Amino acid sequence: MFTLKRQLATALLFTIVAFFTTACSDSNNNMGPPDTDGTGGTKPGQALLGPIVDATVSVYDSRDYEDLSILDDDPDNPACEVKTTKSENLDEAGLILLPAECIEKDLIYIVKVTGGMDIDVDDDGILDDTPTPHESSIHAIILGERIYAKPWKVTRVTDLMYFVLRALFQGGTTAEEFLTQMDNMAQLVLKDVNGDDIIDHNDVLEWNPRDHEQLFNPEVLQDIEELQTLSPQQVNEQLSGFTGHVDTFMQANDVKVQGNYAYVLTNTQLHVIDISDPSKPHIINTASTPEDLAIDFHIHDHWLYLRTYKAITAYDITEPGEIVKVSSSPLMCMSSSIDADGNLWVGLATLEGGYRIFSIADAEHGIFDELTELTESDILTIVMSERFRNDIKVKPVNQSSFDLFRFFGNVAVLGFMGGTEATILIVDFSDSDNPQLISEIITPGFLRWPLDALIKNNELLLSIGHGDFTDLSFVPTLMRFDISDFSMPVQLTLPQQPSLRTLDQIGNALYAWESSDRLTRRNADTLELEASIPLPTVVDASLKTLTDITAFLLSRNDPDTLSDPFDQEGMKSYNKLYGTYRYPEHIAIEGDYVYFAAAEYGLLIYRLP
């Protein structure tokens, strides 16, 4: 699939360059029709290669055609037909003014522009002395409601969308399905055209070849004839880099990659997935998580440490694909992380209201023997007496939970949620026998929840959730700090404020789950949105809200579903009810691929661009 992409990219480059170099604008580089109503309240479109004047515009109701290729033969039953406007003002030339009586807001229309004259074929912003005949057709697929909303354009980009998406209409499609697919395609071929930090069908309809050439993603160039042979889903997969998928039956909460294996954690199971061929990942082993709902896990060398609400369990994964339980400790720790040397650290609440972090395992021994033989109260007695190895007491912070623990080399970032503020601590572990608190960051605000952290190039990125946690309606806020001097973090002004939940970075590409339930790639410096990665329709992930999930469970008329979900659908429903919003989804970048523990979507694998 990707070999084809690379082979065809060069060939199509010349075609796309032709799209760009035949564009035009007025002398002020201000392309596009004025924002004035067309006939009866519709907004004007504009035919742009350069502006095409005196062209025939035929508008077709998509319900009349199961095969849109029929439109190549100019059928004689358009919903309406008009001519593009003539003008010596390039900004007012080539306008498409559609009468309201032929456009219904809830219908999908195909707009076909045929013939006419290109009045600025060399794209110098100056009216040509002699217009150039336009001897072909360009198309756009557009929802009637959008024609009434704001000005729109018919360009080579809308023409590309038409040829790729017209297969949708075989057998009929809904407006919602159409817009979803067009949004997905927009995310693959464009950057943010209109500056609203969303890439969708509006960017397609507002793109113009003069102002927005640089916003067309050249890495997704394909031969249009090849694209026409694929379904929209296949196009999405080919252009997005979507490579493989594994349905984990329950929500995928966390993922780690080691060698040819991806380890994916759900609420009650740990899956080992063979990814030696990323296009054909498959589960080869599954272990049920002990004691209680699983929270997260860590891997170092041949050790895998799994944390639940009631215990931490060590597994030996020396043999590829095997998960052998070695030991367990009854620790109800609030957070955990593993340092570069393989020491596992956990965080516990102290009786006096603060927190204590200490090491409970190392790369040689796994979990220390004394912690597997004692009760939790005995362990707490040892810890509180300050007689335990690698112990550091964090001063009381009067926060309600210890939610964030991330190691970056010898430095760890700790985050605590509070009712009126969140506290972030930076701790130096270069001497693991004597960790030192370096600095403290307070982020004021109602119900602040530290979600994730990332340290790159002397900067700290923090994702802090805020809002009403009683109904889980929190919104992540991104914060950036200069930590060239760890002891004095300096908050930096962000060029924009995206809502990023989970962060990972490779090179200058920042990958994130965003609050709008989308996967994105952003420029790590500017935070500019470079791509939204469409989620493939490989599983039914339609149950998004707690209300929907509860209604779904009740509709099953199965009183045991909530407490004893036997079948896979019941398990998935149970897991969505209790897990979908509990933890941020996680990302792992390994080699040429990005692995997403994508909640109800399971494990998704994408190839890096």
Side-chain angles (χ1 to χ4, degrees), residues 336-605:
S336 63
S337 191
I338 197 163
D339 66 23
D341 296 324
N343 299 306
L344 178 68
W345 295 77
V346 299
L348 292 173
T350 64
L351 297 177
E352 60 266 30
Y355 298 90
R356 188 176 301 279
I357 56 176
F358 63 100
S359 175
I360 69 165
D362 63 25
E364 181 179 356
H365 305 92
I367 296 176
F368 302 136
D369 290 342
E370 55 264 50
L371 295 183
T372 65
E373 301 168 353
L374 301 175
T375 65
E376 183 181 25
S377 60
D378 291 332
I379 295 172
L380 288 175
T381 300
I382 294 175
V383 173
M384 299 314 166
S385 67
E386 303 187 17
R387 290 187 290 105
F388 202 75
R389 70 187 80 181
N390 296 354
D391 173 59
I392 175 172
K393 181 178 179 181
V394 180
K395 70 175 185 177
V397 291
N398 297 319
Q399 305 293 58
S400 58
S401 63
F402 184 173
D403 295 288
L404 177 65
F405 197 168
R406 298 281 188 276
F407 270 99
F408 302 94
N410 291 323
V411 172
V413 177
L414 286 62
F416 304 85
M417 184 182 82
T420 59
E421 62 187 25
T423 300
I424 307 298
L425 304 179
I426 300 178
V427 180
D428 181 3
F429 283 82
S430 53
D431 180 358
S432 61
D433 291 328
N434 187 30
Q436 297 293 317
L437 180 64
I438 306 174
S439 58
E440 178 181 80
I441 299 171
I442 302 296
T443 63
F446 177 67
L447 285 176
R448 295 286 172 144
W449 183 11
L451 297 174
D452 205 358
L454 180 67
I455 291 180
K456 288 280 186 178
N457 303 325
N458 291 324
E459 288 190 351
L460 168 66
L461 279 178
L462 289 174
S463 175
I464 307 291
H466 62 91
D468 186 355
F469 290 88
T470 60
D471 64 358
L472 301 171
S473 59
F474 68 93
V475 177
T477 296
L478 193 66
M479 306 179 74
R480 175 180 275 171
F481 295 85
D482 181 343
I483 52 172
S484 50
D485 181 351
F486 274 113
S487 65
M488 298 183 63
V490 177
Q491 186 169 357
L492 303 174
T493 301
L494 293 175
Q496 48 187 304
Q497 186 57 263
S499 296
L500 311 183
R501 291 202 302 255
T502 305
L503 312 170
D504 208 341
Q505 184 175 340
I506 181 168
N508 203 42
L510 178 67
Y511 286 85
W513 274 96
E514 304 215 0
S515 59
S516 52
D517 286 327
R518 57 176 177 159
L519 312 175
T520 63
R521 185 179 75 243
R522 292 178 177 270
N523 181 289
D525 295 326
T526 66
L527 299 181
E528 177 188 1
L529 180 63
E530 294 185 341
S532 289
I533 303 173
L535 297 172
T537 55
V538 289
V539 292
D540 178 12
S542 59
L543 301 179
K544 293 293 185 181
T545 68
L546 292 177
T547 301
D548 291 340
I549 295 165
T550 303
F552 174 80
L553 291 173
L554 293 176
S555 72
R556 289 170 55 85
N557 296 318
D558 181 359
D560 296 326
T561 296
L562 291 176
S563 60
D564 193 9
F566 291 106
D567 60 278
Q568 289 185 356
E569 187 62 34
M571 290 170 67
K572 188 181 293 187
S573 303
Y574 170 89
N575 195 63
K576 287 179 180 177
L577 179 63
Y578 286 101
T580 299
Y581 295 91
R582 182 168 289 154
Y583 314 111
E585 296 82 359
H586 286 270
I587 301 170
I589 298 177
E590 189 73 22
D592 294 332
Y593 296 92
V594 183
Y595 300 84
F596 296 101
E600 61 266 40
Y601 291 89
L603 175 68
L604 302 179
I605 305 174

